[in-house]
Amino acid sequence: MTVDTRALLRTAEQAVTIAGRLIRTKDPGVVTTKGDRDMVTDIDYAVEHVVREFLSRETPEFGFLGEEEGLSRTGDGGLMWALDPVDGTANFARGIPLCGVSLGLIEAGRPVLGVIDLPYLGAYYCAAEGAGATVNGHRIRAHTTYALSAAIVSVGDYAVGEGAEAENRIRLPLHHRLAARVQRVRMLGSAAVDLAWVAEGRTDASITLSNNPWDTAAGVVIAREAGAVVADIDGGPHTTKAQATIAATPGILTDLIALISQARQDTDRTAQPVEAHRGKA
């Protein structure tokens, strides 16, 4: 299927505008626990419901994946919408303005279109493959940083829930190495904000040690179209099957990937004595 991403961008903008209006005008409502230290609000469900309904009418042949209700349609031709109805739910529930709607279109495992609305910051980001990236209608470009020592780097949240201890093992050595090399480290609590701010040049890189399509699809396109490079944890190409989502200005990507590799080696070394002890039991 030949996809006109520029035409579909208007459809995505309409869907996200509806979602953003809900977030702006409604309280979070009931906050429900959906796992260890993980939560969902009434607005998460409401936003996902209205966006699913809208896109099922406008693009019935496309698949749809939402964070809260999962995959509802598989779609034709490898095309799938990926929605995080409220990216940064913990922030949203506490009145912290770093949160928003994130809607991406994925074609054969590659994000090709993205819209992010950060309603409490008044920032509305759009991008389609080959068309550049904008915020509130104005073209944006990633920063031109060439040294880690001059870079502001955001890092995704610590994992929670089942398997969190193993997933977080790399994060402490990673923060240690980042703190020693970069200008500043930030933890913003929203992958959408992380990636949009790399695209806008507010930060120079973001490290998300996961790759849930609803979290990252829209931001990946926006960052890429603004001139950032988006890669997997080893520096390889980023797709929906990547292990992580690393976005950075081109001048620091190689050094950043090397630093992440060092942190992974640190993790392996600290884990070896534990594994050896277990083997003798």
Side-chain angles (χ1 to χ4, degrees), residues 2-264:
T2 302
V3 181
D4 185 347
T5 54
R6 299 187 191 201
L8 285 168
L9 185 58
R10 177 58 182 163
T11 301
E13 288 175 325
Q14 290 174 321
V16 172
T17 297
I18 294 168
R21 190 178 302 124
L22 263 178
I23 294 176
R24 286 180 178 89
T25 58
K26 302 291 184 182
D27 292 330
V30 177
V31 179
T32 305
T33 299
K34 64 177 184 179
D36 174 36
R37 291 168 292 159
D38 199 5
M39 66 190 69
V40 61
T41 71
D42 286 349
I43 291 297
D44 287 82
Y45 288 123
V47 167
E48 185 159 326
H49 179 71
V50 298
V51 172
R52 278 181 187 271
E53 282 200 338
F54 178 83
L55 291 175
S56 68
R57 293 194 304 268
E58 298 296 317
T59 56
E61 70 277 21
F62 291 7
F64 189 97
L65 174 67
E67 179 180 11
E68 306 308 338
E69 298 178 10
L71 184 67
S72 62
R73 303 192 304 275
T74 55
D76 301 328
L79 289 164
M80 181 176 69
W81 296 107
L83 171 74
D84 193 333
V86 182
D87 188 62
T89 297
N91 287 349
F92 175 60
R94 293 293 191 96
I96 299 170
L98 301 179
C99 56
V101 186
S102 179
L103 176 66
L105 180 64
I106 298 166
E107 181 180 18
R110 177 180 169 83
V112 294
L113 178 157
V115 178
I116 291 172
D117 182 12
L118 306 180
Y120 301 124
L121 301 181
Y124 195 95
Y125 301 85
C126 300
E129 192 164 59
T134 63
V135 60
N136 299 336
H138 301 289
R139 187 62 65 95
I140 53 175
R141 294 293 298 174
H143 203 247
T144 53
T145 304
Y146 293 95
L148 286 180
S149 60
I152 295 179
V153 179
S154 64
V155 182
D157 274 347
Y158 281 86
V160 297
E162 185 177 352
E165 183 178 354
E167 291 182 37
N168 287 329
R169 199 168 288 138
I170 185 178
R171 284 169 166 82
L172 289 176
L174 176 59
H175 276 89
H176 176 77
R177 287 190 174 273
L178 284 169
R181 295 285 306 279
V182 307
Q183 187 180 85
R184 292 292 187 275
V185 181
R186 297 287 182 258
M187 185 175 281
L188 306 173
S190 164
V193 175
D194 287 335
L195 291 163
W197 280 9
V198 171
E200 199 175 358
R202 291 176 181 268
T203 60
D204 303 288
S206 71
I207 300 171
T208 305
L209 295 175
S210 62
N211 186 34
N212 298 317
W214 53 84
D215 286 331
T216 60
V220 163
V221 182
I222 293 166
R224 207 171 57 214
E225 286 297 312
V229 181
V230 187
D232 199 351
I233 196 168
D234 59 358
H238 181 275
T239 68
T240 54
K241 294 184 178 179
Q243 181 180 346
T245 304
I246 314 299
T249 60
I252 64 170
L253 180 67
T254 299
D255 288 342
L256 188 64
I257 293 295
L259 187 149
I260 295 169
S261 177
Q262 293 163 6
R264 295 171 76 189

